[in-house]
């Protein structure tokens, strides 16, 4: 069972490696369907790239569930601002972080599907 993005990357890397080997071992005389392996490899690489974008916070929307992705560092800023001993700088940093994430989310939602933004 995959529990984190690193495990997902490893599983995809294994699948891509297998597909490359399978395609390389395929006899050159078989032309029909030869491109299917390359297409599947490209699709798996797209999934791997998408997972990487979630890890880095360069992609904010997670499906149609309207979930917002944030990095651990961004999450820590919110935690710091929620503590009783939070300073004005902590609150400002959390506010700036929220604005950055929300702006990116809105941009992706309107650019990708023209969805109505819930907030």
């Amino acid at each position: 069972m995959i529990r984190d993005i690193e495990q997902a990357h490893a599983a995809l890397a294994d699948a891509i490696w297998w597909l490359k080997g399978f395609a390389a071992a395929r006899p050159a005389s078989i032309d029909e369907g030869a491109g299917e392996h390359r297409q599947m490899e490209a699709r798996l690489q797209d999934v791997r790239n998408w997972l990487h974008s979630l890890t880095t916070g360069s992609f904010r929307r997670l499906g149609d569930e309207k979930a917002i992705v944030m990095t651990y560092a961004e999450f820590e800023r919110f935690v710091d601002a929620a503590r009783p001993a939070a300073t004005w700088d902590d609150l400002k940093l959390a506010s700036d972080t929220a604005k950055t994430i929300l702006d990116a989310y809105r941009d992706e939602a309107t650019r990708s599907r023209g969805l109505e933004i819930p907030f």
Side-chain angles (χ1 to χ4, degrees):
M1 173 179 276
I2 295 176
R3 297 192 185 276
D4 59 30
I5 290 178
E6 287 77 23
Q7 288 178 335
H9 278 295
L12 285 171
D14 290 345
I16 291 169
W17 187 257
W18 182 85
L19 283 170
K20 285 181 178 179
F22 185 75
R26 188 180 184 110
S29 62
I30 303 176
D31 289 334
E32 287 186 36
E36 292 174 6
H37 299 95
R38 300 282 185 229
Q39 289 173 353
M40 182 60 72
E41 178 184 353
R43 290 181 70 195
L44 286 172
Q45 187 62 47
D46 286 345
V47 170
R48 193 169 189 198
N49 292 340
W50 184 77
L51 287 172
H52 178 71
S53 71
L54 294 178
T55 305
T56 60
S58 58
F59 187 82
R60 300 296 182 169
R61 292 187 75 244
L62 189 57
D64 291 330
E65 296 297 319
K66 297 179 178 58
I68 297 176
V69 175
M70 72 175 74
T71 65
Y72 184 76
E74 291 166 336
F75 175 72
E76 279 186 322
R77 292 177 199 151
F78 293 120
V79 171
D80 289 344
R83 293 178 192 213
T87 65
W88 174 252
D89 291 338
D90 291 335
L91 295 171
K92 175 76 170 115
L93 189 55
S95 175
D96 292 346
T97 300
K99 182 181 180 335
T100 299
I101 293 171
L102 185 57
D103 289 348
Y105 173 86
R106 286 179 172 159
D107 182 53
E108 288 170 18
T110 56
R111 184 182 60 237
S112 65
R113 294 195 178 142
L115 298 175
E116 184 175 323
I117 307 301
F119 44 83

